[in-house]
Amino acid sequence: MIHRKSRDEIKRMRHAGHIVALVHQKMREVIEPGISTKELDDIAYHIIKENRAIPTFLGYAGFPASICASINEQVVHGIPHEDIKVKEGDIISIDVGATYGGMVGDGAWTYPVGKITPEVQRLLNTTEEALFEGIKQMREGNVLDDVSKAIERVANREKLGIVRQYGGHGVGHEMHEEPFLFNYSVGNQLPLKQGYVIAIEPMLNLGGDDVVVAEDEWTVSTTDKKPSAHFEHTVLVTEDEPLIITQLMPQEK
Ligand code: MG
């Protein structure tokens, strides 16, 4: 069953989403050649704590950090480590969740490290575009498959691989709630209703669709080792325009 969020729940989710956005604002600032993924994790942890929230990922199914940090061919769920440092030309996907007042906000972004190739820039631009095309479909009168189709259309246009095994999800009291959202059309006719909150998160690859999980049982990478990008927002269906939950709230900018 899918939970429609109340005004009070949405208020708390927007606060959680604001904290997620604060983390991303900082990531954009500090990511540069030589920084380790452990340093990024520490920064994120402190921002979340300073804002009286809980790092949702820390301890989730045993995950040992507050962010997932996935570099180049890594798609999602990379574990931060002091020995893992980004270098010029890399891309790094940072995924972070914050729980505030019992409600979760979840958001990811792929950042370039210094100068990247035009081909990789195209991957980033397209994955971000796919996210926003998906968000546009988050309105009453549409069905869940409209979101999937919008993402797939953008990926296909640019001939990018679409990760099949992972996707978006309902979010709120838990990080992963119903429904599951595929990043390609599967024909799900679930009507979208006011109060639904879904984390939309296209994961697109410069190469093929296939991914493999590393021996650490977390890190997901493309099988062909080609770069992968991941952009995610937590989004609310309203009576009007879709509302991005994981953004800075105007009064707190
Ligand atoms: Mg997510």
Side-chain angles (χ1 to χ4, degrees):
M1 120 134 214
I2 301 163
H3 182 218
R4 296 170 76 167
K5 273 69 181 180
S6 68
R7 279 171 78 104
D8 176 64
E9 287 168 330
I10 290 162
K11 203 173 155 196
R12 285 180 275 146
M13 287 196 84
R14 291 193 74 181
H15 201 99
H18 173 77
I19 296 164
V20 166
L22 285 175
V23 172
H24 279 293
Q25 189 180 45
K26 193 68 180 177
M27 294 292 117
R28 187 181 301 278
E29 239 176 81
V30 300
I31 289 173
E32 58 176 16
I35 196 162
S36 75
T37 53
K38 177 70 167 73
E39 287 171 274
L40 296 174
D41 183 50
D42 287 343
I43 291 166
Y45 175 85
H46 287 292
I47 292 172
I48 294 167
K49 285 292 192 181
E50 275 165 18
N51 285 279
R52 305 182 314 283
I54 297 165
T56 316
F57 294 6
L58 187 61
Y60 186 91
F63 191 78
S66 302
I67 61 168
C68 297
S70 311
I71 300 172
N72 296 335
E73 76 277 9
Q74 295 174 353
V75 181
V76 285
H77 305 165
I79 301 172
H81 193 280
E82 59 191 8
D83 293 337
I84 302 175
K85 293 175 178 165
V86 290
K87 58 182 195 309
E88 179 83 21
D90 283 346
I91 53 171
I92 179 168
S93 302
I94 303 289
D95 194 351
V96 61
T99 306
Y100 181 86
M103 303 302 289
V104 178
D106 185 10
W109 209 260
T110 301
Y111 299 96
V113 183
K115 199 170 163 28
I116 60 173
T117 66
E119 188 67 349
V120 176
Q121 187 64 56
R122 181 175 70 90
L123 170 70
L124 266 49
N125 294 348
T126 307
T127 312
E128 183 181 350
E129 182 188 345
L131 167 62
F132 282 93
E133 287 301 311
I135 290 171
K136 279 188 201 162
Q137 299 298 323
M138 285 283 285
R139 39 177 80 245
E140 276 198 321
N142 282 358
V143 296
L144 191 65
D145 203 52
D146 291 321
V147 182
S148 300
K149 270 197 244 173
I151 293 168
E152 183 176 30
R153 200 178 301 126
V154 175
N156 286 348
R157 188 195 72 211
E158 295 292 323
K159 301 192 166 41
L160 296 176
I162 301 173
V163 175
R164 306 271 149 178
Q165 295 92 329
Y166 302 87
H169 50 90
V171 54
H173 292 276
E174 305 287 337
M175 180 157 61
H176 295 115
E177 296 182 352
E178 286 180 55
F180 184 80
L181 171 66
F182 288 89
N183 287 316
Y184 54 97
S185 176
V186 292
N188 191 327
Q189 297 302 306
L190 174 82
L192 297 176
K193 292 181 181 157
Q194 202 179 318
Y196 281 8
V197 183
I198 297 175
I200 302 177
E201 48 178 324
M203 289 155 244
L204 304 183
N205 307 332
L206 260 190
D209 300 342
D210 292 348
V211 297
V212 58
V213 180
E215 274 178 25
D216 64 16
E217 295 181 356
W218 281 106
T219 315
V220 178
S221 297
T222 55
T223 307
D224 59 16
K225 303 268 183 10
K226 298 246 175 88
S228 183
H230 179 208
F231 287 76
E232 173 183 36
H233 270 310
T234 296
V235 182
L236 169 72
V237 179
T238 75
E239 59 185 353
D240 190 22
E241 295 299 310
L243 179 72
I244 297 175
I245 297 284
T246 35
Q247 65 179 328
L248 296 178
M249 284 193 287
Q251 65 271 30
E252 298 189 39
K253 258 181 195 167

